[in-house]
Each structure stands twice: as structure tokens, then as C-alpha cells.
Amino acid sequence: MTTTLGGFVLGTPDPQALADFYRALLAWEEAERSAQWVRLRDPARERPGLSFQLEADHTPPVWPQRPGSQQMQAHLDLQVDDLEAETERACALGATEEAHQPQNDVRVLRDPHGHLFCLFLPGA
């Protein structure tokens, strides 16, 4: 049997709104939508996808990590060809740039619901 990654799921209090943010950011298309679930996919392939499920009590992680605070369990790494332009575009779509940036060739941002994600250049 073969195992492959089918998708990545983010919990959020508003799956539709967060899916709309990532659909615009990634230029992906919607594969399915309900009140509690939205799945996006790359137009060139069905899987892996990025999904959003209803979690009314979602608590965003603290960055950088501090003992006793909500820890980040995972984050998305998104490769870009122009770090400055794509950071500006992500922020125009509703992301926020974090004050703590651990590397010059990576930008740590938050999506509109507080999930951390990184934009990075090839080779970073």
C-alpha cells in the first residue's frame, strides 16, 4: 500500500472566510464548501489540498513560543519568487507580518484567523 499526503487542515471559527483568504493567496480553486468545511486544491491537481474546518474555540498560537502559552502545532511554508512583493500582497489580503523574523530570506506572517505561515525564497 502507498501512503501520500492528501491534505492539510486548519481549524478556524470561520472556514469560509479563511478559505477565501488562502484561495486568493495561493490562486487555488475551491473543491468543496459547507458551513463547517471548505477544501481548496491546486488547479493543476486534486491532492494534496488545503482544508478549513469549523473550530469555534480556536486559539491562535503565540509567536515566538513562550512557556505556558498556546503552542504552534504546525505552520505552512509557502515558496515565493519575490519575498517583499508577496509579503505586501499577503498583507493586503488580510495577513499580518510578525515582529519577530528569525531569518532574512523568510517572512513569518499570520493569516486573518491567527495561524502562522512563512513565505520563503527558493533555496531558503
Side-chain angles (χ1 to χ4, degrees), residues 63-64 98-102 108:
W63 174 259
E98 287 293 293
H100 177 69
Q101 297 293 329
V108 180

Side-chain angles (χ1 to χ4, degrees), residues 7-64:
F8 190 84
V9 180
L10 295 174
T12 174
D14 188 343
Q16 293 80 18
L18 195 56
D20 290 345
F21 168 79
Y22 280 102
R23 184 175 40 79
L25 183 66
L26 297 170
W28 281 18
E29 57 190 36
E30 193 170 283
E32 60 183 284
R33 179 182 284 244
S34 72
Q36 297 187 357
W37 179 266
V38 180
R39 183 172 65 86
L40 302 179
R41 69 179 196 86
D42 183 324
R45 60 184 175 270
E46 186 65 28
R47 301 283 181 173
L50 181 58
S51 298
F52 309 88
Q53 72 181 19
L54 179 63
E55 288 184 9
D57 296 326
H58 169 72
T59 302
V62 172
W63 174 259

Side-chain angles (χ1 to χ4, degrees), residues 96-111:
T96 54
E97 190 172 353
E98 287 293 293
H100 177 69
Q101 297 293 329
Q103 298 170 233
N104 290 333
D105 52 359
V106 174
R107 288 293 172 275
V108 180
L109 297 107
R110 283 188 190 266
D111 69 26

Side-chain angles (χ1 to χ4, degrees), residues 55-82:
E55 288 184 9
D57 296 326
H58 169 72
T59 302
V62 172
W63 174 259
Q65 173 185 329
R66 290 191 304 269
S69 63
Q70 179 66 27
Q71 304 271 325
M72 175 174 48
Q73 299 297 310
H75 69 275
L76 300 175
D77 280 343
L78 307 175
Q79 185 173 315
V80 298
D81 55 3
D82 184 327

